[in-house]
Amino acid sequence: KKGWYVLGFVLYLTGQFAANAGGIGAMVFAADLLLTLAAVWCLFTRTAGAVILNLFLNFCLALAATGVNLAVSILFAGMEWDVYLVADIGLGVKMLVYLLLTKLFLLGRSKEQVQALRPAVVIVTCMVPAASIFYLVSLAMVGNIYLQMYGVKLIFVNIAVLLVVNGAFFWLMNDIFRASRIRQEMELFQKQSDLQYRYYAELEKKYRESRKLIHDMKNHLQAVERLYKEQETEKGEGYVRDL
């Protein structure tokens, strides 16, 4: 019912506000992932493939947000810009990046819902995006030292490489999901084929039994006919009674 969706999103936003009030980046990110997982699980779908896809989108959005924050802080470092204007610029860029990533995600994701994934696949699927987020957050924390040693270009190259690697991983993950779906379809097809084979084998058995019965009845009728033709009426009547 619609009321549950309203309640779910109210709780989701409340959790987001509570996590952001703490001001600890790692806690905010962990809370965001847990809240997203709870919302997807309770309100939308419980298939492993769909849950992983939603979590992966969250990873990519967090990766992009961290990259935009880092880029804005580097670009406007030392400039006498109003801090609120810089924050608005960063927020606007993040919204555009969110929309772009979500659009690419919807275009690239598989249309089929994977019904089951092994736990090992789920864990491996989360490892690369999680490592990317950890690396980028660590890079942001030591950004000033990194900037002095290597400059801005290398930071942007790192961000671009992380996005490319995660995009390639997402493409690979789609192939894994597709292979899993094909395997499930093949197993279902095999079961269907086995059922059809048993059905036609049983049908063939009944057909052979029917033919045997028809053949026996034909022999009996011929025997009765022969007895009557030979004027063996009593024998014919007894044969019919026994039959």
Side-chain angles (χ1 to χ4, degrees):
K1 296 182 179 180
K2 293 181 180 179
W4 288 108
Y5 289 93
V6 174
L7 176 61
F9 280 107
V10 168
L11 293 175
Y12 177 82
L13 292 175
T14 303
Q16 290 278 12
F17 283 125
N20 280 277
I24 302 175
M27 184 183 296
V28 173
F29 177 64
D32 183 47
L33 287 181
L34 291 175
L35 288 169
T36 300
L37 178 60
V40 171
W41 185 268
C42 295
L43 298 179
F44 296 100
T45 179
R46 295 184 181 180
T47 59
V51 171
I52 289 299
L53 287 173
N54 280 279
L55 286 178
F56 185 75
L57 174 60
N58 239 44
F59 274 124
C60 290
L61 295 179
L63 180 66
T66 306
V68 170
N69 290 336
L70 183 59
V72 169
S73 64
I74 292 172
L75 288 174
F76 292 95
M79 297 183 182
E80 297 181 357
W81 286 54
D82 182 73
V83 64
Y84 294 107
L85 178 59
V86 174
D88 288 339
I89 292 173
L91 183 61
V93 173
K94 278 195 287 187
M95 291 301 102
L96 291 175
V97 172
Y98 283 176
L99 290 173
L100 177 61
L101 281 177
T102 305
K103 183 64 176 178
L104 291 174
F105 179 86
L106 292 173
L107 289 175
R109 73 180 294 271
S110 175
K111 297 296 183 184
E112 297 83 5
Q113 293 292 340
V114 179
Q115 297 301 320
L117 290 175
R118 291 176 296 145
V121 176
V122 175
I123 294 173
V124 172
T125 301
C126 296
M127 286 176 61
V128 172
S132 301
I133 294 294
F134 175 78
Y135 172 76
L136 199 56
V137 170
S138 302
L139 187 63
M141 293 174 65
V142 296
N144 292 330
I145 301 175
Y146 197 92
L147 178 61
Q148 294 174 8
M149 295 178 62
Y150 301 105
V152 178
K153 292 182 180 179
L154 193 55
I155 291 181
F156 286 135
V157 169
N158 277 275
I159 295 172
V161 168
L162 285 176
L163 290 173
V164 170
V165 168
N166 279 270
F169 182 74
F170 175 64
W171 174 79
L172 178 62
M173 187 177 63
N174 267 344
D175 273 2
I176 293 174
F177 287 172
R178 192 176 300 111
S180 177
R181 177 181 58 82
I182 292 174
R183 185 177 65 252
Q184 292 173 10
E185 290 179 352
M186 289 297 295
E187 291 174 355
L188 183 62
F189 177 75
Q190 183 64 42
K191 291 179 181 178
Q192 183 180 6
S193 298
D194 292 342
L195 288 174
Q196 287 180 341
Y197 175 79
R198 287 197 293 268
Y199 170 75
Y200 284 115
E202 187 68 23
L203 199 64
E204 177 68 19
K205 179 182 177 182
K206 291 181 179 180
Y207 175 69
R208 288 196 301 269
E209 291 175 353
S210 298
R211 290 196 59 177
K212 182 176 180 298
L213 179 61
I214 292 172
H215 180 73
D216 291 344
M217 289 301 299
K218 182 178 179 181
N219 290 337
H220 288 310
L221 291 174
Q222 288 176 346
V224 171
E225 183 183 18
R226 185 173 62 255
L227 289 172
Y228 276 101
K229 281 184 178 180
E230 294 176 356
Q231 303 298 320
E232 300 285 347
T233 306
E234 292 182 2
K235 289 183 177 181
E237 290 175 353
Y239 192 96
V240 171
R241 283 195 298 270
D242 293 338
L243 180 59

